[in-house]
Every structure is written in C-alpha cells, then in structure tokens.
Amino acid sequence: MSSEPRINDRIRVPEVRLVGPNGEQVGIVRIEDALRLAQEADLDLVEVAPQARPPVCKLMDYGKFKYESAQKARESRRNQQLTVIKEQKLRPKIDSHDYETKKKAVVRFLEHGNKVKVTIMFRGREQSRPELGYRLLQRLADDVADMGFVEANPKQDGRNMIMVLAPHKNVKPRPRSGSEDSDIESAED
C-alpha cells in the first residue's frame, strides 16, 4: 500500500465530501461530478482524508502540492540537529597518564558538541569490584563538569559499566577544522 494520496480516476467511491481549491466546502457530491469540476477548473481531485465517511477530496494542483511538501520535508531535515555519540573505553586499573589522555579526548568530544558514552570494561576478577569502575566514572564526571553533565548515570551492563555525558546547552560547539595548524603557519609568516 503506497503512502501517496489517490488522485482523479484512482478514487473508487460513489460519493465524496468536496473541498474547493480555496478551502471552501462544496458539500457531498457524486464522484463523477467532482471529477468534472476538477477537469473544468484544470485541477486534480486529491483524496486528503480517505478514512472519513464519505472520504474528503480537495481540488488542487497535485504537482505543485507534491513539490511544496517535498520542499517542506527538505527544510525540516536541514533544520534538524544531528546528535553524534562518541565512545571512550576505560579499564578500572588505568594509569594516571592514560586517564589524562582519555579525559582530554572526552573534553574534545564535548567541546565539539557531541555526547560521549564512557564504557569501563571489567575482566576476570575486576568484575567482583564494580565500585572501582563507579568511582572512576564519578571522577571523570567531576573532572569534565564545566564542559558537560551526566545524562545517564553509571550502570552495570554485563561485563561493562556505562555512563553517558552530554555537553552543556550554553556551550557553543567548536569548529572541527584544522584551524589550529593554520594559525601557527600564519604567525610564522
């Protein structure tokens, strides 16, 4: 079953509730009369509410209607904001330098306006100590509190513990270009 509305000869009901080209109510008319009115006005008869009894049909230029609805759909897609979720994986027994490197990556993701899913992977005996992972996630959340907030609190999921961080609304995303390199080159010139 297609999502396109039925038009002109594809409408197979004995009578319809007709709406004129300017939105005025014509009333309930036989399908033959509605098709004749559409042909005289050089318009199409489009079924706008097929579930109604009798179905509601409108006199309109169907090509123009399809074009305008496609334009609206394109415009709404353009205005949508794409949310990207980046992932950072840690281990419970992480060294301080490795932790700082991972933290810098999380800060960079948040600066660019992305959400960050932080995963702590437990192996072997580490699974019996989930509080180590929880403390590590709390420490990371506190360290990046100025850049983002905890959207989903830490929770155990099998061998992993997961937490989601999201950037603050008032922080503007930084552009992802290589502008840092070009600033250095222009300073040397």
Side-chain angles (χ1 to χ4, degrees), residues 12 25 37 42 45 47 50-51 55 81 83 100 112 114-115 129 147 163 170 184-185:
R12 303 260 184 232
Q25 295 286 333
L37 285 170
D42 198 27
L45 183 67
E47 192 175 45
Q51 68 279 3
Q81 188 175 17
T83 57
E100 290 299 320
H112 291 306
N114 298 323
K115 292 183 180 183
R129 302 285 307 275
M147 293 303 303
M163 174 178 76
N170 56 3
I184 294 168
E185 289 173 9

Side-chain angles (χ1 to χ4, degrees), residues 5 8 31 35 52 77 82 102 108 115 119 131 181 188:
N8 298 333
I31 190 68
L35 286 168
R77 277 195 305 273
L82 186 67
K102 300 280 188 174
R108 189 176 67 243
K115 292 183 180 183
T119 305
E131 65 275 2
D181 298 337
E188 291 173 356

Side-chain angles (χ1 to χ4, degrees), residues 85-95 97-109 115-123 126 133 136-137 140 157 159-165:
I85 298 180
K86 301 285 190 173
E87 184 169 12
Q88 193 59 258
K89 294 188 176 187
L90 306 169
R91 297 290 312 281
K93 296 179 180 175
I94 190 168
D95 191 49
H97 183 266
D98 294 336
Y99 171 79
E100 290 299 320
T101 304
K102 300 280 188 174
K103 184 180 85 173
K104 282 181 187 174
V106 169
V107 167
R108 189 176 67 243
F109 293 149
K115 292 183 180 183
V116 183
K117 175 181 168 183
V118 184
T119 305
I120 294 194
M121 303 173 295
F122 295 100
R123 277 197 243 154
E126 294 172 348
L136 185 62
L137 289 175
L140 181 64
D157 182 27
R159 292 174 172 248
N160 299 328
M161 186 174 280
I162 297 169
M163 174 178 76
V164 178
L165 297 169

Side-chain angles (χ1 to χ4, degrees), residues 6-9 11 16-19 30-36 38-39 43-47 56-60 62:
R6 293 186 295 205
I7 60 170
N8 298 333
D9 296 331
I11 303 171
V16 295
R17 181 176 304 275
L18 188 62
V19 178
R30 290 188 2 245
I31 190 68
E32 297 85 18
D33 296 336
L35 286 168
R36 184 179 43 75
Q39 208 168 24
L43 295 170
D44 296 308
L45 183 67
V46 181
E47 192 175 45
V56 179
C57 293
K58 185 173 181 179
L59 295 174
M60 67 172 79
Y62 185 63

